């Protein structure tokens, strides 16, 4: 009986721990508009995931609204990449070649952010051709950052953190371009 | 000289992008194994990365290269003429373009409608290039005005290729 009482007490003590594990937030189901629009993109899964994570996508009524959401997301990613590059530059010794390259990368990603900002304005004005050019321009800046490292002699190692952000931003811009291509058709 | 200029006249590069000029230098442009000659076709998938460009001439001469699309968004309605794709300055004569200073990163061709011309124009600089203010937009660029603004004089060489949208194949 003492054992049973002890076990009961133990169970009582452990139960808050057992039932306090947070349940993961379910991913919203993509709307039919999100699915059909993302079906025209190169990276379908990325498109769906990026849009589904934004509450505004659920209320979007046309692909233009979805393109704006993706471009906004890309602009935020570009801004974060710029900050990350600047932070890495600050952590490196001032005289190191990588510090100069990282500072230049921070400027490239900032330029990408600005270009995406202009793309948003063009989308708002229904100037889809201009939006296309601005997003296309933004998509090239990450590559220019990588080229800076490649051209150094001896060649500098490209930071994995920036490489990850480069890949993500390029894919997002590609999907944004795919959607903008649909607009005005 | 006529053999060099005529394709540029027929292709309306002379007239719509630059004025008539006397070629004084040569440049060779390659996208991978593809040698770009006036009016040749280059698929967008082949031009994703910047081309290899070798410029004739001698150091310490310096050159500026501009790549531009005068047919954006479409040849029948080029209201965005020109969209500038690439600007590299301070390229030493006789050198590879990589030795120059890239003031505007290469933006690969993405023609949406129709067949676009993509034009490379080479200028000889009188002085090392001054600091270029960041461009707000690549659209509605004007090669003539750019050359005048930076005192580049007439072009010394030019070559263009045609490109059109490739069909997209989706996995789903």
């Amino acid at each position: 009986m003492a054992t049973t009482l002890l076990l009961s007490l133990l169970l009582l003590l452990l139960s808050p721990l057992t039932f306090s594990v947070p349940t993961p937030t379910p991913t919203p189901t993509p709307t039919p508009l999100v699915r059909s629009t993302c079906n025209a993109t190169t990276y379908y899964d990325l498109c769906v995931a990026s849009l589904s994570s934004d509450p505004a996508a659920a209320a979007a009524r046309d692909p233009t609204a979805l393109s704006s959401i993706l471009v906004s997301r890309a602009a935020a990613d570009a801004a974060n990449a710029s900050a990350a590059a600047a932070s890495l530059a600050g952590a490196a010794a001032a005289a190191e070649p990588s510090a100069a390259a990282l500072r230049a990368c921070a400027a490239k990603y900032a330029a990408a952010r600005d270009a995406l900002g202009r793309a948003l304005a063009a989308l708002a004005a229904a100037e889809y051709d201009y939006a296309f050019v601005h997003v296309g321009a933004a998509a090239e800046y990450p590559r220019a950052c990588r080229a800076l490292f490649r051209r150094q002699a001896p060649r500098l190692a490209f930071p994995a953190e920036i490489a990850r952000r480069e890949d993500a931003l390029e894919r997002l811009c590609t999907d944004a371009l795919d959607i903008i291509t649909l607009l005005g058709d | 000289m006529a053999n060099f200029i005529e394709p540029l006249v027929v292709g309306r590069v002379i007239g719509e992008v630059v004025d008539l000029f006397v070629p004084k230098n040569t440049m060779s442009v390659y996208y991978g194994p593809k040698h770009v000659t006036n009016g040749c076709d280059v698929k967008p998938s082949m031009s994703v990365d910047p081309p290899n460009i070798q410029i004739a001439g001698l150091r310490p001469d310096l050159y500026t290269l501009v790549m531009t699309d005068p047919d954006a968004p479409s040849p029948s309605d080029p209201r965005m003429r020109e969209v500038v794709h690439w600007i590299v300055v301070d390229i030493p004569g006789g050198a590879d373009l990589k030795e120059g200073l890239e003031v505007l990163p290469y933006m690969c061709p993405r023609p949406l409608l129709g067949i676009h011309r993509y034009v490379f124009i080479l200028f000889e600089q009188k002085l090392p290039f001054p600091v270029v203010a960041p461009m707000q937009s690549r659209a509605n660029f004007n090669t003539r005005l750019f050359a005048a603004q930076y005192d580049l004089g007439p072009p010394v060489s030019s070559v263009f290729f045609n490109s059109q949208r490739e069909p997209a194949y989706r996995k789903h």
Side-chain angles (χ1 to χ4, degrees):
Chain A
M1 182 166 169
T3 309
T4 308
L5 187 62
L6 189 63
L7 282 173
S8 301
L9 277 172
L10 198 61
L11 196 62
L12 198 63
L13 283 170
L14 287 174
S15 59
L17 295 174
T18 307
F19 292 109
S20 67
V21 174
T23 54
T25 308
T27 306
T29 305
T31 64
L33 179 65
V34 167
R35 278 199 296 267
S36 63
T37 303
C38 290
N39 201 41
T41 63
T42 304
Y43 304 104
Y44 174 84
D45 292 337
L46 173 67
C47 177
V48 169
S50 300
L51 291 174
S52 298
S53 65
D54 192 318
R61 295 185 178 189
D62 52 42
T64 303
L66 294 180
S67 68
S68 296
I69 294 170
L70 268 192
V71 171
S72 294
R73 170 77 179 258
D77 285 356
N80 290 337
S82 178
S87 176
L88 287 171
E96 280 187 22
S98 61
L102 283 165
R103 282 193 295 272
C105 278
K108 299 287 183 197
Y109 278 98
R113 174 206 61 207
D114 294 343
L116 289 163
R118 288 190 285 274
L120 277 173
L123 285 170
E127 294 175 343
Y128 305 127
D129 296 322
Y130 284 91
F132 188 87
V133 169
H134 291 316
V135 176
E140 300 296 341
Y141 283 108
R143 256 185 243 201
C145 165
R146 183 183 281 272
L148 287 172
F149 281 78
R150 199 168 50 228
R151 285 182 197 154
Q152 297 290 328
R155 194 161 163 170
L156 294 173
F158 193 52
E161 171 64 21
I162 304 300
R164 183 182 64 78
R165 291 175 184 273
E166 172 195 5
D167 184 62
L169 183 59
E170 280 191 9
R171 287 171 183 252
L172 209 53
C173 285
T174 298
D175 277 356
L177 286 170
D178 289 339
I179 297 177
I180 294 171
T181 303
L182 302 172
L183 308 178
D185 278 350
Chain B
M1 184 182 88
N3 287 341
F4 182 92
I5 289 295
E6 187 179 348
L8 297 172
V9 172
V10 171
R12 301 187 318 279
V13 169
I14 290 176
E16 292 180 2
V17 183
V18 293
D19 297 326
L20 189 64
F21 66 93
V22 175
K24 292 182 179 177
N25 203 336
T26 57
M27 58 177 166
S28 57
V29 181
Y30 282 85
Y31 278 108
K34 175 88 177 184
H35 180 210
V36 174
T37 55
N38 282 317
C40 75
D41 293 322
V42 178
K43 294 179 182 178
S45 55
M46 287 185 60
S47 54
V48 170
D49 294 319
N52 287 317
I53 300 182
Q54 188 74 24
I55 293 171
L58 299 168
R59 297 175 188 261
D61 294 336
L62 295 175
Y63 294 87
T64 289
L65 180 97
V66 174
M67 177 184 174
T68 178
D69 169 17
D71 297 320
S74 74
S76 58
D77 181 24
R79 60 185 180 278
M80 296 168 72
R81 176 180 294 171
E82 305 151 41
V83 168
V84 60
H85 280 254
W86 201 17
I87 300 178
V88 185
V89 304
D90 291 342
I91 310 162
D96 189 275
L97 211 77
K98 293 184 179 71
E99 295 192 41
L101 175 66
E102 189 179 68
V103 297
L104 191 69
Y106 176 79
M107 180 172 76
C108 62
R110 290 190 178 93
L112 270 183
L113 295 168
I115 301 173
H116 290 222
R117 293 164 294 168
Y118 292 90
V119 188
F120 297 96
I121 309 112
L122 189 69
F123 299 91
E124 184 171 352
Q125 298 169 207
K126 299 181 176 70
L127 295 166
F129 217 88
V131 173
V132 178
M135 282 190 184
Q136 292 302 305
S137 173
R138 290 177 183 250
N140 301 115
F141 177 84
N142 189 306
T143 299
R144 289 181 174 98
L145 280 179
F146 177 82
Q149 181 181 357
Y150 293 100
D151 197 21
L152 292 174
V156 296
S157 186
S158 182
V159 67
F160 78 99
F161 66 91
N162 295 316
S163 193
Q164 60 182 316
R165 186 174 168 185
E166 292 170 277
Y169 297 97
R170 308 278 178 224
K171 290 182 183 177
H172 38 266

